[in-house]
Amino acid sequence: MNTILAPSILAADFYNLQTQLESVEAAGATYLHLDVMDGIFVRQITFGMPVIKSIRNHTSLTLDCHLMVKNPERYIHDFVLSGADILTIHLEATDDPGHVITRIHEEGCRAGLALNPGTPIEAAEPYAKDLDQLVIMSVNPGFGGQRFLPSSITKLREARRILQNLNPAARIEVDGGIKPDNLETALFAGADVLVAGSAIFAGDVKANTEKMLHLIEDCEKRLPHTGRAGDTGTV
């Protein structure tokens, strides 16, 4: 599959985290999405480097670390040392996103840029050529379990158009409210990384992961092109 499913451990049972992560991996997922919240950029506080390091020591999955952190440039080196494979910062969280993206690459890590629902997609254009991943927030950041914002579909299409012109190798991740009944819409709009929290970790984790992967595989067969999700203007 070209599309990546990124289970978000924000929705996991941390008492049984090892078992649940093993279930995700056994079902065929290749990414883990790790939401780091500092209580400043967003109200909630989650976890930081020690948790990421512990996970890194026990899995080979790609660690997709989403920093909902004010002034993330303070922590880039520490997150890379902890084992992050991808570091996504928020455009709204720093005065100089371009500098932070450069720092991430200098540390040998892939760089992502996330946009809040209220931030226009055009704000990402100055940085698009340097990104490995552009993240469209389909909920307001800060806590899990929110409903997918329908306005995100237009934004995904616009993101695909921008990247197709400036950086076609970059992926588009959609984060928030992704479930079996809307993942097809997100894929056809241009997403190729789907973050899913409660859709994975509520109930049978392995079965939920397998279901999502099967749905993605089926959707890919019906996309109106032969390349990556959304890489034409036909959606």
Side-chain angles (χ1 to χ4, degrees):
M1 291 191 300
N2 293 316
T3 305
I4 293 168
L5 177 66
S8 172
I9 71 167
L10 187 64
D13 177 1
F14 273 70
Y15 185 76
N16 294 305
L17 186 59
Q18 178 181 349
T19 300
Q20 292 195 335
L21 296 189
E22 288 172 351
S23 295
V24 161
E25 190 165 5
T30 56
Y31 271 44
L32 286 178
H33 188 79
L34 310 178
D35 286 308
V36 178
M37 304 183 190
D38 65 353
I40 300 172
F41 180 68
V42 293
R43 290 184 60 188
Q44 191 169 344
I45 298 173
T46 53
F47 51 80
M49 285 75 82
V51 171
I52 294 170
K53 186 176 181 179
S54 295
I55 293 172
R56 173 80 293 158
N57 288 337
H58 296 284
T59 185
S60 60
L61 295 178
T62 296
L63 299 187
D64 177 26
C65 298
H66 180 186
L67 306 186
M68 285 173 262
V69 172
K70 187 70 175 174
N71 298 326
E73 56 270 23
R74 296 175 292 165
Y75 305 111
I76 299 305
H77 182 67
D78 294 325
F79 278 110
V80 173
L81 285 181
S82 298
D85 295 296
I86 306 168
L87 285 177
T88 292
I89 63 163
H90 270 262
L91 182 144
E92 307 88 356
T94 179
D95 293 331
D96 194 349
H99 171 70
V100 186
I101 291 164
T102 298
R103 282 274 314 279
I104 293 170
H105 283 145
E106 288 174 346
E107 293 281 352
C109 202
R110 282 176 275 171
L113 185 67
L115 302 181
N116 285 345
T119 301
I121 190 65
E122 291 78 13
E125 287 194 63
Y127 316 104
K129 289 182 179 179
D130 299 317
L131 295 176
D132 300 289
Q133 182 167 277
L134 178 59
V135 180
I136 303 303
M137 294 299 299
S138 45
V139 298
N140 289 301
F143 58 95
Q146 300 180 67
R147 290 189 177 183
F148 183 89
L149 294 172
S151 59
S152 306
I153 295 303
T154 299
K155 207 166 184 180
L156 285 168
R157 292 192 179 109
E158 293 172 346
R160 176 55 64 194
R161 174 184 55 80
I162 288 169
L163 288 183
Q164 196 65 27
N165 290 330
L166 298 176
N167 184 1
R171 288 190 172 273
I172 296 178
E173 180 173 282
V174 59
D175 184 359
I178 291 294
K179 299 186 182 299
D181 61 358
N182 62 20
L183 69 82
E184 178 175 330
T185 303
L187 283 178
F188 272 69
D192 52 16
V193 182
L194 305 178
V195 176
S198 57
I200 298 293
F201 291 103
D204 187 326
V205 175
K206 187 172 184 288
N208 290 342
T209 305
E210 289 173 341
K211 178 180 179 180
M212 293 285 279
L213 289 171
H214 288 317
L215 287 170
I216 290 169
E217 186 175 15
D218 180 63
C219 287
E220 284 192 345
K221 294 175 183 177
R222 294 180 286 106
L223 285 169
H225 53 80
T226 58
R228 287 167 50 185
D231 68 1
T232 74
T234 58
V235 292

